[in-house]
Structure formats: C-alpha cells, structure tokens
Amino acid sequence: MFKTLSIPRKLGFSFLVINASAAIMMVVFFANIWMIRSATANNNHSQEIYAKALTLETSILRENSQLRGYLVTADPSYLKSYNEAREEYDQTTLALEKLLTDPARRALVLTSRDETAKWRAAWSNRLVAMVKAGQREAAEQAVRDAGKKVLTSAVVLPLRDLRDQETAAIEENAASQAQALTTATIALVLGGIALIGIAVMLQMALSRSIVRPISALTRRMADLAAGKSAIDVPDTARADELGDMARAVLVFRDAAQAKLTADQEREQAMRAIGDGLHRLSEADLTVRLTALPGSYAVLSKDFNGAVGKLSDLTCNVRRSVETIKQNAEEISQSARDLSARSEQQASSLRETAAAMDEITGTVREGASNAADANKAMAEARDAAEQGGEVVRKSVEAMNGIDKASREIADIISVIDGIAFQTNLLALNAGVEAARAGEAGKGFAVVANEVRALAQRSADAAADVKTRILSAIHHVKSGVELVDETGQALEQIIDRVGSVSVIMATIARASDHQAESLGQVNVAINEMDGVTQQNAAMVEESTAAASMLARESEQLAGAVAIFTVDEPAARPVPMPVSAPRARHITAPSRPAPRTIGNTALATSEDDWSAF
C-alpha cells in the first residue's frame, strides 16, 4: 500500500506518524511536569505555613523573655521589644489563619491564640501594669510564687504540632517531586528512542520508494542534457509522480531527437541567411534568398519582401531629401522674419509697461493723498464734535449762572424787606424813646443808629439788585450767543461729515483705480514675457530649420551609398512658393499705445504679416 501512494501522501503519512509519536511523548511529559508543579506549589504552601508557625513560636517566646527582662530591670527598652513581639504575634496569627484550609490545623492555631490570650490576661498584662504602678518587687514575687504557671508551654505546643505536620507534608511533596522527575526522565528517554527509531524506519522506506527512482531519472536527464538521445527511461508505468516524471523525460527524449533534425535544417538556413545579411551590410539591396529548406520558406519570402521594400524606400528617400532641404530653407527664412517682428513687439510692450507703471504710481499717490485728506476731515469732524460738546457744556454753565443770579436777586429782595422792617422797628423805638423822656434818650440814639444802618442796608441791597439784574441780562445775551454758536457748530459738523463721506468715496475709487491699473500692468508684463518667449521659440525654430537642412544633406549622403535594383530617378522638387522679401525697419520712437477698441483698428496687413 505504501508503494501505491503518491509522494505527498507518503510524506504526509510519515510526518503524521512522527508528529503523533511526538505528541504522545509531550502529553506524558506535560503530565509529569504538572505533577511536579502541583507538588512544588504544595511544598511552597507547607513551607510558608511552617515559617509562620515558627514566627509565632519565636514571637511568644520573645514576648515572655522581654516581659521577664522588664520585671527585673523596669527598662522601657524591654517594654518596647515586648510590644513589638505582641504585635508581630497578632499579625502573624491572622495571616496564618487565612493560609490554613484544613480545619484540624486551623484549630491548632486557634488553640494557640486562645492560650496566648489567657496567658496575657493572667500574667503579662497584669505584671506590666504592676511594674508601671511601681510594684516591681511584688510582680517579681508573683512570678516566683507562680512557678510553671507563668510559662508559655500551652501556647507553643499546638504550634509545634502544626510544624510537625507541615514537615511531614514537605517530605511527602519532595517524594512526589522526585517520583515525577524520574517518570519524566524515563518518558523523555523512551519517547526519544521511539521517535528516532520511527524516523529512521520512515527514512529508509522513503529512500527506497522516492530517492532511488529520482536518482535513476536524474542520471537519464543528465545523459539527455549531454546530447545522448538514445536512452532507456525506466519507471514509466508507475502511477505516482515519479511515473509522471519518467513519462515527461520520455517526451524530452523524443523532442531532443526532433531537435537534432531541426538543428541541421537551421544550420543550412543560417548559412544562406548569413550570406544574404553580409551582402546587405555592404549596402547591396539587390540580394535575394532562394536556397532555404522548406520549413524556412516563409522566412525567405519575408526577407526578400523586406529587402525589396527597403530598396523602394531608399529611392523615395533620395527624391524627398531635396524637397525637405528646400522647404527647410524657406521655413528658416520665415522664422527669422517672425523673430525680428516679435523682438519689435516685445520692445513696444516694454515701453508700454513702463508708462503703465508711471500711471499706476501717480494714481496710487492720488489715492494716498485722498486717504490723508479723508483722515484729516475725520479729525476735523472729531474736533468740531468736541467743540460742540464744549459749547453745550458752556450753555449749561450759562444757564446755571442765570439761575444762580435770579436766586441772588430773590435773596436781595428778602434782604430789602428785612431792612424795611428794621427801619420801621427803629422808627417805633424812637417814638417810644421820645415818650420816655430823659430815660429814653440813650435808647433814641441807638434807634437812630439802627435806622441809619437799615437805610444803608436797603440802599446797598437796591444797588446789588440793580447790578444782579444787569448781570442776568448780560448772561441771557451770552446764553443766546452760545446757543447760536452751538447751532453753527452743528451745521459745521454736518457739513464736515458730508465732506468726509465724499472724501472716503474718492479714496475708495482711487484705490480701485490703482488696483485696476496694477492688474493692467500685470497683464502687459505677462504679454511682454509671452512675446519674448515667442521670440525665443522662433529663434529655436530657426535653429531647428537650419539643423533640419543640415540633417537632410547628411541623410542624402547616407542614402547615396545603397545599391538598388534600378538607378534612382532624378529628384523632382515639389512646387513651393518663393519666400517673399520682407523689409523690417525698427521704429525710431515708441509705437503709440492702443486702448480698448482702438487696438482693433490696426491695419489688416500688419496682422497678416504677424
């Protein structure tokens, strides 16, 4: 069955057997590794429990020893170490309780913790309190009297039992690890030997069924490559890929035999073709191929046709070269004339561009002046508005003065009334003093003085009132004048605003004109560049036409070396128009610039010449 399979199936079966053997060995090895990993994890867990149990035992013993040192010396350092041991014991016992999952082992830890609590309540806490209270000797006597009752054996014994159990578990895990390692080593050795044996067997089977037949076919193909076509090809009846290869080699053998016959015919044809190509390389276009084998008859026909067409082409080229030369000379002359006109137009465009630059600068300067004037008008409008504001404030101040003057006049009127009443009272006092006789003479003198004073006050009040009324009249006139000034300023502000709007419009129009002229200037510059490019292109065309004429002469010389079937006819030049003589004079002054439709009025002859 193995011999009838194809090569891919044979290789697949071989690799499948090897992979299955390797997979079985890997499964066994993985199972042993898993056992080692489980034993290692259990061993680490037991070691951690053992370490924490040992830590608890050390902590309680340290707590007992530091308690005795504190009872003997009353040194606070012993008390500090005592408290650290207590804290270490409490934290470790909580951590150990979380690690234990076995109820029996957890009961040992809980028993140790209960005994510790009892020992602390009965001895350590009470003795520390007695020493802190100054009863150190009494505490020492209590310890001596207690004897073995103060020992921590009840606390330590459960922890030792726990450590003994964990030690046994560690030894058991170590034995499991050793057994797993031994099993893994055995599986690795046996599986490796089995895998190597299977690979060797499959190698021998594949060598017999694949490698040896391939070597035989390789030798046959080497003989065939060396030119030995009379060979015997084995294994042509096989049903696998080697049988296909053998049948393919058989086809190659038949093709080699056919190729030998074809090579002989090809050598004969190559000799005839070589002779024809040699004559053709000597510029002999009369050569023809006639003595070729039957299989090369089409090549002979194509070669003869190609040489005949090449002979006809050479004759036609000889006739066309002269015509090309004459036309190239006319093109060269026309291009030179066009170059001169293009240079003249480029000069005119440069002068036009310069004039447009000056106009653009002038318009931009006008736009700048208009913008400055607009700015000045805006400042004048602001100043006028500020003046109007000052006038409005002045009007308000004058109105305030008018109002204050009227109030002063009212006050003067009150003062005049007071003077009148005072005078009247002084008169009444004089009358009463006269009635009193001698006793009222002094009072009469005082009454006369008061009357005189009241009279002067009345006169002064009247004078002040007159002046106040005059001031009110002048203030009223000033207010009217200031109102008229404010109205005039309002009109000035309105007129300045109108002028400012007009100046802004002028400035915007000037800017727009400057931009438009700038665009026109750019367009003229672009036209100048294009014209100069056209002139350069015309110069290149002139050079190309001259080169074309030279190339035509060289082509005529190259074609003249060929020998054709019949003498080449004298070339008849194609009718061409004689070049017109053009007289171009440079203008003595710049050509007038044309704007808008005026440019269309240029004479038709000038445009046709362009």
Side-chain angles (χ1 to χ4, degrees), residues 477-534:
S477 299
V479 169
E480 292 176 355
L481 292 175
V482 171
D483 287 337
E484 292 177 358
T485 302
Q487 293 176 0
L489 284 174
E490 290 292 337
Q491 294 177 359
I492 291 172
I493 291 171
D494 293 338
R495 300 296 170 80
V496 169
S498 301
V499 174
S500 178
V501 172
I502 293 171
M503 293 300 295
T505 304
I506 293 172
R508 287 194 297 271
S510 298
D511 290 335
H512 182 67
Q513 291 176 0
E515 292 178 357
S516 300
L517 287 174
Q519 295 176 357
V520 172
N521 193 13
V522 171
I524 291 175
N525 289 328
E526 291 178 354
M527 291 173 62
D528 186 14
V530 172
T531 303
Q532 292 182 6
Q533 292 177 358
N534 290 336

Side-chain angles (χ1 to χ4, degrees), residues 159-182:
L159 297 175
R160 289 181 179 175
D161 293 339
L162 179 61
R163 285 196 293 121
D164 293 339
Q165 293 179 9
E166 294 302 326
T167 300
I170 291 172
E171 293 176 354
E172 183 179 354
N173 291 327
S176 298
Q177 288 179 348
Q179 183 179 0
L181 287 172
T182 303

Side-chain angles (χ1 to χ4, degrees), residues 10 21 53 92 137 181 195 284 288 294 344 360 392 415 585:
K10 292 176 182 178
S21 302
T92 305
E137 295 179 356
L181 287 172
L195 187 61
D284 185 6
R288 297 292 184 270
Q344 178 181 354
T360 302
R392 284 193 293 272
I415 293 173
T585 59

Side-chain angles (χ1 to χ4, degrees), residues 30 40 156 181 183 273 277 324 369 396 415 420 424 427 493 535 585:
F30 178 77
T40 302
V156 173
L181 287 172
T183 305
I273 294 172
L277 290 176
I324 293 173
N369 294 331
E396 293 177 358
I415 293 173
F420 177 76
L424 183 61
L427 181 62
I493 291 171
T585 59

Side-chain angles (χ1 to χ4, degrees), residues 223-224 226-232 253-254 256-257 260:
D223 294 338
L224 188 61
K228 299 177 181 179
S229 58
I231 59 174
D232 184 16
R253 185 197 65 182
D254 297 339
Q257 293 175 353
L260 182 60

Side-chain angles (χ1 to χ4, degrees), residues 15-218:
F15 286 116
L16 178 63
V17 173
I18 293 173
N19 291 331
S21 302
I24 294 172
M25 185 179 68
M26 289 175 62
V27 169
V28 175
F29 195 68
F30 178 77
N32 287 277
I33 290 175
W34 187 262
M35 291 174 61
I36 294 171
R37 179 178 177 278
S38 177
T40 302
N42 294 331
N43 195 8
N44 293 334
H45 184 70
S46 299
Q47 288 179 356
E48 186 176 3
I49 295 172
Y50 181 88
K52 290 188 179 298
L54 184 60
T55 301
L56 288 177
E57 185 176 350
T58 304
S59 299
I60 195 64
L61 293 176
R62 180 186 173 193
E63 183 179 351
N64 187 15
S65 63
Q66 298 303 315
L67 174 63
R68 293 178 181 273
Y70 183 65
L71 292 178
V72 174
T73 62
D75 188 356
S77 60
Y78 285 100
L79 183 60
K80 179 181 179 182
S81 181
Y82 165 79
N83 291 327
E84 291 176 355
R86 286 173 61 97
E87 184 177 359
E88 183 181 12
Y89 181 87
D90 295 338
Q91 293 178 357
T92 305
T93 188
L94 292 176
L96 184 58
E97 184 180 359
K98 293 179 181 179
L99 288 175
L100 292 174
T101 57
D102 187 8
R105 297 181 181 179
R106 183 180 290 181
L108 293 174
V109 177
L110 296 177
T111 301
S112 175
R113 184 163 55 187
D114 293 339
E115 294 296 332
T116 301
K118 293 177 182 179
W119 180 79
R120 288 176 179 174
W123 299 104
S124 63
N125 296 337
R126 183 168 62 86
L127 294 175
V128 170
M130 291 175 66
V131 174
K132 288 182 178 179
Q135 300 176 3
R136 185 170 62 83
E137 295 179 356
E140 291 178 357
Q141 186 61 39
V143 171
R144 286 191 293 269
D145 294 339
K148 294 183 179 180
K149 294 180 180 180
V150 77
L151 298 177
T152 58
S153 301
V155 178
V156 173
L157 290 176
L159 297 175
R160 289 181 179 175
D161 293 339
L162 179 61
R163 285 196 293 121
D164 293 339
Q165 293 179 9
E166 294 302 326
T167 300
I170 291 172
E171 293 176 354
E172 183 179 354
N173 291 327
S176 298
Q177 288 179 348
Q179 183 179 0
L181 287 172
T182 303
T183 305
T185 303
I186 295 171
L188 182 61
V189 172
L190 295 179
I193 294 172
L195 187 61
I196 293 171
I198 292 172
V200 170
M201 292 174 60
L202 292 174
Q203 179 185 3
M204 294 174 64
L206 291 175
S207 177
R208 288 193 302 269
S209 61
I210 297 176
V211 177
R212 293 177 183 176
I214 289 177
S215 299
L217 285 176
T218 303

